[in-house]
Amino acid sequence: MEKRIGIINIVIYDITFAKQVNNLLSAYGEYILSRNGLPLRDKGVHIINIIIETSTNNINSLTGKLGRLEGVEVKCLLTKVECN
């Protein structure tokens, strides 16, 4: 399986979806190298940055599931580095 390193940025506009976001991230937890969260409560926005190392299929699956949640915006950047 060809692995890539990906950077996933998640912006949560509706905090009621935070539990679903966390459940999805836990399901892919074995692939997550780093997670950084910034709750901007006064602005009504919560930001999570993820560094992940897995197949492009897994990265696309996770970002797709996150992106289907209302009140959640997701952007992903895949590095050119291939990992074994």
Side-chain angles (χ1 to χ4, degrees):
M1 171 177 72
E2 178 184 299
K3 293 196 255 181
R4 304 278 295 273
I5 295 174
I7 302 151
I8 302 172
N9 295 306
I10 306 162
V11 180
I12 303 172
Y13 296 102
D14 185 347
I15 195 63
T16 60
F17 290 96
K19 184 174 182 176
Q20 290 173 295
V21 169
N22 283 321
N23 288 341
L24 283 169
L25 294 179
S26 292
Y28 288 81
E30 66 185 280
Y31 309 116
I32 294 175
L33 302 175
S34 172
R35 174 180 173 163
N36 182 2
L38 180 64
L40 299 171
R41 291 178 185 90
D42 59 326
K43 295 177 177 37
V45 175
H46 303 267
I47 301 169
I48 301 172
N49 299 304
I50 302 292
I51 309 291
I52 191 167
E53 181 181 351
T54 187
S55 68
T56 55
N57 285 344
N58 281 341
I59 294 170
N60 291 337
S61 176
L62 174 58
T63 57
K65 290 173 184 176
L66 289 167
R68 283 190 288 278
L69 297 174
E70 284 188 41
V72 177
E73 185 177 357
V74 180
K75 299 292 181 187
C76 181
L77 171 69
L78 290 178
T79 64
K80 295 179 182 179
V81 176
E82 294 180 16
C83 307
N84 296 323

